[in-house]
Amino acid sequence: DAGVHNKVWYAATCDRKMAEDALYRSNKDGSFLIRKSSGQDSRQPYTLVVFYNRRVYNVPIRFIESTRQYALGREKSGEERFDSVAEIVENHQRTSLVLIDSQNNTKDSTKLKHIVRVS
């Protein structure tokens, strides 16, 4: 179990556009929510959506079948792995999350600070 159900930050019925609109409305660095990934791929079941510096980042959450764990973004050596999506959120409420802008090739980082609810 990913540990997402009944969490205030999990927007179960939310698509990418709804999530992005909600985060732009919040307009606070570190605002975030978790939504189901658009692709409905079992290897990438969820997406972490984060607002920072007037931008919205959609960070894929991967499910690693071999270890039954979760990780953020593309697979990389030495990556952090978590037993649930809830653990990812709790971890990045304490430690900064690196946000990579692939278009401008820039890096930022922020903690997950403000839970955004999609109404």
Side-chain angles (χ1 to χ4, degrees), residues 31-59:
S31 296
F32 76 98
L33 59 82
I34 300 248
R35 63 175 176 81
K36 277 191 177 131
S37 286
S38 318
Q40 295 300 318
D41 182 346
S42 63
R43 288 188 310 271
Q44 188 185 307
Y46 303 103
T47 300
L48 168 60
V49 191
V50 184
F51 182 88
Y52 184 76
N53 202 7
R54 300 188 301 280
R55 303 245 354 243
V56 171
Y57 295 84
N58 284 278
V59 184

mmCIF file of all heavy atoms in Angstrom, residues 31-59:
data_model
loop_
_atom_site.group_PDB
_atom_site.id
_atom_site.type_symbol
_atom_site.label_atom_id
_atom_site.label_comp_id
_atom_site.label_asym_id
_atom_site.label_seq_id
_atom_site.Cartn_x
_atom_site.Cartn_y
_atom_site.Cartn_z
ATOM 1 N N SER A 31 4.214 24.648 -2.027
ATOM 2 C CA SER A 31 2.871 24.065 -2.079
ATOM 3 C C SER A 31 2.948 22.769 -2.872
ATOM 4 O O SER A 31 3.710 22.674 -3.832
ATOM 5 C CB SER A 31 1.898 25.007 -2.795
ATOM 6 O OG SER A 31 1.745 26.188 -2.070
ATOM 7 N N PHE A 32 2.151 21.785 -2.475
ATOM 8 C CA PHE A 32 2.237 20.497 -3.158
ATOM 9 C C PHE A 32 0.967 19.687 -2.998
ATOM 10 O O PHE A 32 0.142 19.957 -2.140
ATOM 11 C CB PHE A 32 3.430 19.685 -2.622
ATOM 12 C CG PHE A 32 3.157 19.078 -1.270
ATOM 13 C CD1 PHE A 32 2.756 17.751 -1.148
ATOM 14 C CD2 PHE A 32 3.294 19.839 -0.111
ATOM 15 C CE1 PHE A 32 2.494 17.198 0.097
ATOM 16 C CE2 PHE A 32 3.035 19.290 1.137
ATOM 17 C CZ PHE A 32 2.638 17.964 1.235
ATOM 18 N N LEU A 33 0.844 18.686 -3.851
ATOM 19 C CA LEU A 33 -0.144 17.630 -3.697
ATOM 20 C C LEU A 33 0.369 16.413 -4.459
ATOM 21 O O LEU A 33 1.351 16.501 -5.180
ATOM 22 C CB LEU A 33 -1.528 18.065 -4.198
ATOM 23 C CG LEU A 33 -1.682 18.502 -5.651
ATOM 24 C CD1 LEU A 33 -1.840 17.312 -6.589
ATOM 25 C CD2 LEU A 33 -2.913 19.383 -5.790
ATOM 26 N N ILE A 34 -0.278 15.297 -4.232
ATOM 27 C CA ILE A 34 0.050 14.073 -4.963
ATOM 28 C C ILE A 34 -1.194 13.700 -5.743
ATOM 29 O O ILE A 34 -2.299 13.729 -5.205
ATOM 30 C CB ILE A 34 0.420 12.927 -3.992
ATOM 31 C CG1 ILE A 34 1.620 13.326 -3.151
ATOM 32 C CG2 ILE A 34 0.588 11.607 -4.745
ATOM 33 C CD1 ILE A 34 2.905 12.617 -3.361
ATOM 34 N N ARG A 35 -1.012 13.355 -7.017
ATOM 35 C CA ARG A 35 -2.131 12.913 -7.841
ATOM 36 C C ARG A 35 -1.756 11.597 -8.510
ATOM 37 O O ARG A 35 -0.600 11.217 -8.526
ATOM 38 C CB ARG A 35 -2.476 13.976 -8.897
ATOM 39 C CG ARG A 35 -1.355 14.234 -9.881
ATOM 40 C CD ARG A 35 -1.788 15.195 -10.979
ATOM 41 N NE ARG A 35 -0.690 15.513 -11.876
ATOM 42 C CZ ARG A 35 -0.268 14.749 -12.886
ATOM 43 N NH1 ARG A 35 -0.853 13.594 -13.135
ATOM 44 N NH2 ARG A 35 0.737 15.123 -13.655
ATOM 45 N N LYS A 36 -2.776 10.941 -9.059
ATOM 46 C CA LYS A 36 -2.502 9.751 -9.856
ATOM 47 C C LYS A 36 -1.803 10.205 -11.126
ATOM 48 O O LYS A 36 -2.140 11.242 -11.685
ATOM 49 C CB LYS A 36 -3.806 9.060 -10.238
ATOM 50 C CG LYS A 36 -4.329 8.171 -9.154
ATOM 51 C CD LYS A 36 -5.466 7.310 -9.681
ATOM 52 C CE LYS A 36 -5.945 6.374 -8.603
ATOM 53 N NZ LYS A 36 -7.393 6.404 -8.456
ATOM 54 N N SER A 37 -0.847 9.425 -11.613
ATOM 55 C CA SER A 37 -0.172 9.778 -12.859
ATOM 56 C C SER A 37 -1.122 9.640 -14.042
ATOM 57 O O SER A 37 -1.977 8.765 -14.050
ATOM 58 C CB SER A 37 1.049 8.889 -13.076
ATOM 59 O OG SER A 37 2.069 9.284 -12.192
ATOM 60 N N SER A 38 -0.936 10.488 -15.021
ATOM 61 C CA SER A 38 -1.808 10.494 -16.199
ATOM 62 C C SER A 38 -1.720 9.192 -16.970
ATOM 63 O O SER A 38 -2.686 8.714 -17.530
ATOM 64 C CB SER A 38 -1.430 11.654 -17.124
ATOM 65 O OG SER A 38 -1.175 12.815 -16.386
ATOM 66 N N GLY A 39 -0.513 8.599 -17.011
ATOM 67 C CA GLY A 39 -0.306 7.435 -17.853
ATOM 68 C C GLY A 39 -0.916 6.145 -17.340
ATOM 69 O O GLY A 39 -0.971 5.165 -18.073
ATOM 70 N N GLN A 40 -1.362 6.107 -16.102
ATOM 71 C CA GLN A 40 -1.904 4.877 -15.503
ATOM 72 C C GLN A 40 -0.918 3.720 -15.655
ATOM 73 O O GLN A 40 -1.289 2.616 -16.039
ATOM 74 C CB GLN A 40 -3.244 4.516 -16.162
ATOM 75 C CG GLN A 40 -4.338 5.517 -15.907
ATOM 76 C CD GLN A 40 -4.659 5.707 -14.430
ATOM 77 O OE1 GLN A 40 -4.715 4.745 -13.682
ATOM 78 N NE2 GLN A 40 -4.838 6.933 -13.990
ATOM 79 N N ASP A 41 0.342 3.982 -15.382
ATOM 80 C CA ASP A 41 1.380 2.975 -15.514
ATOM 81 C C ASP A 41 1.700 2.452 -14.116
ATOM 82 O O ASP A 41 1.946 3.237 -13.206
ATOM 83 C CB ASP A 41 2.622 3.640 -16.135
ATOM 84 C CG ASP A 41 3.759 2.659 -16.373
ATOM 85 O OD1 ASP A 41 3.715 1.533 -15.829
ATOM 86 O OD2 ASP A 41 4.705 3.041 -17.071
ATOM 87 N N SER A 42 1.704 1.122 -13.960
ATOM 88 C CA SER A 42 1.935 0.574 -12.619
ATOM 89 C C SER A 42 3.347 0.888 -12.120
ATOM 90 O O SER A 42 3.599 0.890 -10.928
ATOM 91 C CB SER A 42 1.716 -0.934 -12.630
ATOM 92 O OG SER A 42 2.658 -1.535 -13.496
ATOM 93 N N ARG A 43 4.273 1.151 -13.043
ATOM 94 C CA ARG A 43 5.637 1.477 -12.622
ATOM 95 C C ARG A 43 5.769 2.944 -12.221
ATOM 96 O O ARG A 43 6.780 3.347 -11.657
ATOM 97 C CB ARG A 43 6.630 1.155 -13.738
ATOM 98 C CG ARG A 43 6.818 -0.353 -13.928
ATOM 99 C CD ARG A 43 7.949 -0.650 -14.895
ATOM 100 N NE ARG A 43 7.820 0.106 -16.131
ATOM 101 C CZ ARG A 43 7.154 -0.299 -17.201
ATOM 102 N NH1 ARG A 43 6.534 -1.458 -17.195
ATOM 103 N NH2 ARG A 43 7.100 0.442 -18.282
ATOM 104 N N GLN A 44 4.767 3.747 -12.572
ATOM 105 C CA GLN A 44 4.794 5.166 -12.183
ATOM 106 C C GLN A 44 3.372 5.570 -11.800
ATOM 107 O O GLN A 44 2.679 6.254 -12.531
ATOM 108 C CB GLN A 44 5.296 6.007 -13.359
ATOM 109 C CG GLN A 44 5.540 7.456 -12.998
ATOM 110 C CD GLN A 44 5.914 8.261 -14.234
ATOM 111 O OE1 GLN A 44 6.829 7.906 -14.951
ATOM 112 N NE2 GLN A 44 5.193 9.341 -14.473
ATOM 113 N N PRO A 45 2.932 5.101 -10.630
ATOM 114 C CA PRO A 45 1.507 5.240 -10.292
ATOM 115 C C PRO A 45 1.085 6.653 -9.885
ATOM 116 O O PRO A 45 -0.067 7.015 -10.051
ATOM 117 C CB PRO A 45 1.324 4.265 -9.129
ATOM 118 C CG PRO A 45 2.695 4.087 -8.550
ATOM 119 C CD PRO A 45 3.675 4.318 -9.654
ATOM 120 N N TYR A 46 2.025 7.439 -9.354
ATOM 121 C CA TYR A 46 1.648 8.754 -8.814
ATOM 122 C C TYR A 46 2.595 9.835 -9.303
ATOM 123 O O TYR A 46 3.691 9.555 -9.786
ATOM 124 C CB TYR A 46 1.682 8.747 -7.277
ATOM 125 C CG TYR A 46 0.790 7.696 -6.682
ATOM 126 C CD1 TYR A 46 1.321 6.519 -6.173
ATOM 127 C CD2 TYR A 46 -0.590 7.876 -6.644
ATOM 128 C CE1 TYR A 46 0.500 5.535 -5.645
ATOM 129 C CE2 TYR A 46 -1.425 6.897 -6.121
ATOM 130 C CZ TYR A 46 -0.877 5.731 -5.620
ATOM 131 O OH TYR A 46 -1.689 4.764 -5.105
ATOM 132 N N THR A 47 2.135 11.074 -9.140
ATOM 133 C CA THR A 47 2.964 12.226 -9.472
ATOM 134 C C THR A 47 2.909 13.205 -8.309
ATOM 135 O O THR A 47 1.823 13.498 -7.787
ATOM 136 C CB THR A 47 2.450 12.918 -10.754
ATOM 137 O OG1 THR A 47 2.490 11.967 -11.826
ATOM 138 C CG2 THR A 47 3.307 14.113 -11.129
ATOM 139 N N LEU A 48 4.081 13.679 -7.914
ATOM 140 C CA LEU A 48 4.191 14.723 -6.898
ATOM 141 C C LEU A 48 4.203 16.053 -7.647
ATOM 142 O O LEU A 48 5.033 16.259 -8.525
ATOM 143 C CB LEU A 48 5.491 14.543 -6.106
ATOM 144 C CG LEU A 48 5.931 15.690 -5.202
ATOM 145 C CD1 LEU A 48 4.900 16.002 -4.135
ATOM 146 C CD2 LEU A 48 7.271 15.376 -4.570
ATOM 147 N N VAL A 49 3.241 16.921 -7.335
ATOM 148 C CA VAL A 49 3.134 18.207 -8.016
ATOM 149 C C VAL A 49 3.532 19.293 -7.016
ATOM 150 O O VAL A 49 2.958 19.376 -5.935
ATOM 151 C CB VAL A 49 1.703 18.442 -8.541
ATOM 152 C CG1 VAL A 49 1.650 19.635 -9.480
ATOM 153 C CG2 VAL A 49 1.180 17.198 -9.257
ATOM 154 N N VAL A 50 4.561 20.076 -7.379
ATOM 155 C CA VAL A 50 5.142 21.051 -6.450
ATOM 156 C C VAL A 50 5.180 22.424 -7.112
ATOM 157 O O VAL A 50 5.523 22.548 -8.288
ATOM 158 C CB VAL A 50 6.595 20.663 -6.068
ATOM 159 C CG1 VAL A 50 7.160 21.614 -5.030
ATOM 160 C CG2 VAL A 50 6.665 19.232 -5.566
ATOM 161 N N PHE A 51 4.853 23.454 -6.325
ATOM 162 C CA PHE A 51 4.947 24.830 -6.804
ATOM 163 C C PHE A 51 6.179 25.483 -6.196
ATOM 164 O O PHE A 51 6.390 25.420 -4.981
ATOM 165 C CB PHE A 51 3.703 25.620 -6.372
ATOM 166 C CG PHE A 51 3.696 27.046 -6.869
ATOM 167 C CD1 PHE A 51 3.169 27.355 -8.113
ATOM 168 C CD2 PHE A 51 4.217 28.076 -6.096
ATOM 169 C CE1 PHE A 51 3.168 28.668 -8.584
ATOM 170 C CE2 PHE A 51 4.224 29.382 -6.553
ATOM 171 C CZ PHE A 51 3.695 29.680 -7.803
ATOM 172 N N TYR A 52 7.007 26.090 -7.056
ATOM 173 C CA TYR A 52 8.169 26.804 -6.549
ATOM 174 C C TYR A 52 8.579 27.872 -7.558
ATOM 175 O O TYR A 52 8.659 27.601 -8.752
ATOM 176 C CB TYR A 52 9.342 25.840 -6.294
ATOM 177 C CG TYR A 52 10.522 26.542 -5.680
ATOM 178 C CD1 TYR A 52 10.515 26.890 -4.327
ATOM 179 C CD2 TYR A 52 11.616 26.908 -6.442
ATOM 180 C CE1 TYR A 52 11.571 27.566 -3.765
ATOM 181 C CE2 TYR A 52 12.688 27.589 -5.886
ATOM 182 C CZ TYR A 52 12.651 27.921 -4.537
ATOM 183 O OH TYR A 52 13.702 28.604 -3.978
ATOM 184 N N ASN A 53 8.836 29.067 -7.057
ATOM 185 C CA ASN A 53 9.354 30.144 -7.892
ATOM 186 C C ASN A 53 8.465 30.368 -9.120
ATOM 187 O O ASN A 53 8.952 30.431 -10.240
ATOM 188 C CB ASN A 53 10.794 29.816 -8.301
ATOM 189 C CG ASN A 53 11.556 31.068 -8.695
ATOM 190 O OD1 ASN A 53 11.055 32.178 -8.538
ATOM 191 N ND2 ASN A 53 12.756 30.890 -9.204
ATOM 192 N N ARG A 54 7.154 30.477 -8.873
ATOM 193 C CA ARG A 54 6.157 30.745 -9.911
ATOM 194 C C ARG A 54 6.072 29.657 -10.976
ATOM 195 O O ARG A 54 5.638 29.887 -12.087
ATOM 196 C CB ARG A 54 6.392 32.122 -10.581
ATOM 197 C CG ARG A 54 6.329 33.285 -9.604
ATOM 198 C CD ARG A 54 6.360 34.625 -10.289
ATOM 199 N NE ARG A 54 7.554 34.840 -11.092
ATOM 200 C CZ ARG A 54 8.745 35.212 -10.610
ATOM 201 N NH1 ARG A 54 8.899 35.389 -9.310
ATOM 202 N NH2 ARG A 54 9.767 35.400 -11.415
ATOM 203 N N ARG A 55 6.528 28.444 -10.648
ATOM 204 C CA ARG A 55 6.464 27.326 -11.590
ATOM 205 C C ARG A 55 5.843 26.115 -10.912
ATOM 206 O O ARG A 55 5.982 25.955 -9.712
ATOM 207 C CB ARG A 55 7.888 26.921 -12.018
ATOM 208 C CG ARG A 55 8.709 28.016 -12.633
ATOM 209 C CD ARG A 55 9.041 27.765 -14.078
ATOM 210 N NE ARG A 55 8.626 26.457 -14.548
ATOM 211 C CZ ARG A 55 9.448 25.534 -14.971
ATOM 212 N NH1 ARG A 55 10.740 25.739 -14.970
ATOM 213 N NH2 ARG A 55 8.980 24.383 -15.408
ATOM 214 N N VAL A 56 5.238 25.260 -11.745
ATOM 215 C CA VAL A 56 4.719 23.992 -11.225
ATOM 216 C C VAL A 56 5.563 22.854 -11.793
ATOM 217 O O VAL A 56 5.814 22.800 -12.993
ATOM 218 C CB VAL A 56 3.230 23.801 -11.599
ATOM 219 C CG1 VAL A 56 2.771 22.394 -11.257
ATOM 220 C CG2 VAL A 56 2.369 24.818 -10.865
ATOM 221 N N TYR A 57 6.030 21.996 -10.919
ATOM 222 C CA TYR A 57 6.830 20.832 -11.300
ATOM 223 C C TYR A 57 6.002 19.569 -11.085
ATOM 224 O O TYR A 57 5.386 19.421 -10.038
ATOM 225 C CB TYR A 57 8.083 20.739 -10.433
ATOM 226 C CG TYR A 57 9.054 21.872 -10.629
ATOM 227 C CD1 TYR A 57 8.897 23.070 -9.950
ATOM 228 C CD2 TYR A 57 10.139 21.741 -11.497
ATOM 229 C CE1 TYR A 57 9.804 24.121 -10.129
ATOM 230 C CE2 TYR A 57 11.046 22.783 -11.675
ATOM 231 C CZ TYR A 57 10.865 23.963 -10.994
ATOM 232 O OH TYR A 57 11.754 24.992 -11.172
ATOM 233 N N ASN A 58 6.004 18.689 -12.082
ATOM 234 C CA ASN A 58 5.350 17.386 -11.961
ATOM 235 C C ASN A 58 6.452 16.341 -11.849
ATOM 236 O O ASN A 58 7.160 16.067 -12.817
ATOM 237 C CB ASN A 58 4.493 17.113 -13.202
ATOM 238 C CG ASN A 58 3.204 17.911 -13.184
ATOM 239 O OD1 ASN A 58 2.245 17.516 -12.539
ATOM 240 N ND2 ASN A 58 3.190 19.028 -13.881
ATOM 241 N N VAL A 59 6.616 15.795 -10.643
ATOM 242 C CA VAL A 59 7.707 14.847 -10.396
ATOM 243 C C VAL A 59 7.122 13.434 -10.342
ATOM 244 O O VAL A 59 6.306 13.141 -9.469
ATOM 245 C CB VAL A 59 8.412 15.161 -9.056
ATOM 246 C CG1 VAL A 59 9.604 14.229 -8.848
ATOM 247 C CG2 VAL A 59 8.830 16.625 -8.979
#
